[in-house]
Amino acid sequence: MTRRDEVKAYWDRRIGSWDDSSYDRGHGHGLMGKLRSSVDARMRLALTLLAPHAQGKTVLDLGCGGGRVAVEMVRSLGAAKAHGIDISPAAIEKGNALAKRAEVGDRVTFEVGTVERDTFPRADITLGLGLLDWLNDEETERLLTALEGRRIVLSYSEEDGSLAEIIHRFYLIYPLRWFGGAVSARHHRRAQIAAWMEKHGFTPFTVVDDKAARFGKLVHNLDAGS
Ligand SMILES: C[S@@+](CC[C@H](N)C(=O)[O-])C[C@H]1O[C@@H](n2cnc3c(N)ncnc32)[C@H](O)[C@@H]1O
């Protein structure tokens, strides 16, 4: 099995419970609850950031998972259309069901596909929340090259030495490898993210910190040219 097939199989198994527990079920008080609440905080932070930019716009959501962000861009922020792409068919099924329930199925569409490609559908704003964590350096470089010239909002998990980040590594990331798989999520240093943003011309860019999102950071160039 290739690494990409393993990522797909991993997310096909996990997306249902990950999405429900991150966004729906209440997060609980334990360690996992804290990590899950940071995912919800990351989405809320992204939506707050995007609110002044979304009205009437088209949105492309890469690694869209169960479609939360794509649906909220249209339902709550007034985007004209959103299209999500995800490697996991289970994620796309969930996204389609959510869009239908939210009665935005005519404006929010999804497709099964990987982000390892050189062209993407046109969009005013391109998002990728939780995506860079699952790409290696080569895949990230290819993605950023394909997205050059766009307005982007990406999240990444920052290697910041915080307790939450260390716990995330030990409980959620390393075991994936220990149990024999090639799948592993990444944390990045801020300097690496900044170097990529510069190299691919996403300037000026901003890194957004939020206490509730913990080591989950957003980087965007929404203010470029405005
Ligand atoms: C942490 S989840 C985030 C989902 C969603 N963006 C959110 O914030 O709720 C990461 C998603 O990236 C997708 N993914 C990982 N590698 C991918 C790839 N190479 N191409 C497309 N999707 C990918 C996974 O299937 C998963 O749904």
Side-chain angles (χ1 to χ4, degrees):
M1 224 195 225
T2 64
R3 198 184 70 82
R4 197 173 305 159
D5 288 341
E6 282 203 37
V7 169
K8 176 172 180 275
Y10 172 79
W11 277 106
D12 248 6
R13 275 197 315 274
R14 282 212 56 207
I15 190 69
S17 61
W18 181 88
D19 187 278
D20 291 348
S21 60
S22 297
Y23 299 122
D24 276 346
R25 266 187 220 143
H27 309 114
H29 298 293
L31 173 64
M32 291 303 289
K34 286 207 168 74
L35 290 172
R36 291 281 188 261
S37 71
S38 60
V39 174
D40 192 36
R42 177 177 79 189
M43 177 177 76
R44 287 173 197 288
L45 183 64
L47 292 175
T48 304
L49 176 75
L50 284 156
H53 302 274
Q55 189 66 42
K57 295 292 198 293
T58 55
V59 177
L60 177 65
D61 187 5
L62 302 177
C64 61
R68 300 290 166 146
V69 182
V71 165
E72 288 311 319
M73 288 297 294
V74 169
R75 177 168 64 179
S76 310
L77 301 191
K81 280 184 180 171
H83 182 68
I85 298 177
D86 200 285
I87 197 171
S88 155
I92 295 307
E93 205 175 300
K94 210 167 164 58
N96 280 324
L98 179 67
K100 199 170 168 197
R101 273 201 313 280
E103 299 181 355
V104 290
D106 53 337
R107 292 190 290 146
V108 184
T109 52
F110 295 99
E111 78 180 73
V112 177
T114 77
V115 299
E116 287 82 41
R117 54 172 98 178
D118 297 318
T119 55
F120 288 95
R122 286 170 60 89
D124 298 313
I125 301 172
T126 300
L127 310 177
L129 300 188
L131 176 65
L132 295 188
D133 299 7
W134 300 94
L135 305 182
N136 63 26
D137 283 356
E138 199 184 317
E139 290 161 349
T140 301
E141 285 276 10
R142 182 172 173 191
L143 173 67
L144 294 178
T145 302
L147 298 182
E148 280 176 11
R150 293 182 179 231
R151 293 196 166 194
I152 61 171
V153 179
L154 303 173
S155 82
Y156 69 99
S157 294
E158 190 163 271
E159 198 178 319
D160 62 359
S162 66
L163 187 58
E165 187 239 325
I166 291 164
I167 290 168
H168 190 231
R169 281 172 184 279
F170 278 92
Y171 282 81
L172 294 178
I173 297 180
Y174 291 149
L176 300 175
R177 277 216 193 121
W178 292 336
F179 293 130
V183 174
S184 167
R186 311 264 316 268
H187 286 210
H188 291 94
R189 288 182 188 278
R190 190 174 294 212
Q192 169 68 84
I193 296 292
W196 276 328
M197 293 296 280
E198 290 281 353
K199 177 177 173 187
H200 293 280
F202 301 109
T203 52
F205 65 88
T206 308
V207 175
V208 187
D209 285 296
D210 178 69
K211 212 169 164 228
R214 296 189 173 78
F215 50 84
K217 310 293 176 190
L218 298 180
V219 61
H220 72 88
N221 67 340
L222 291 174
D223 304 320
S226 62

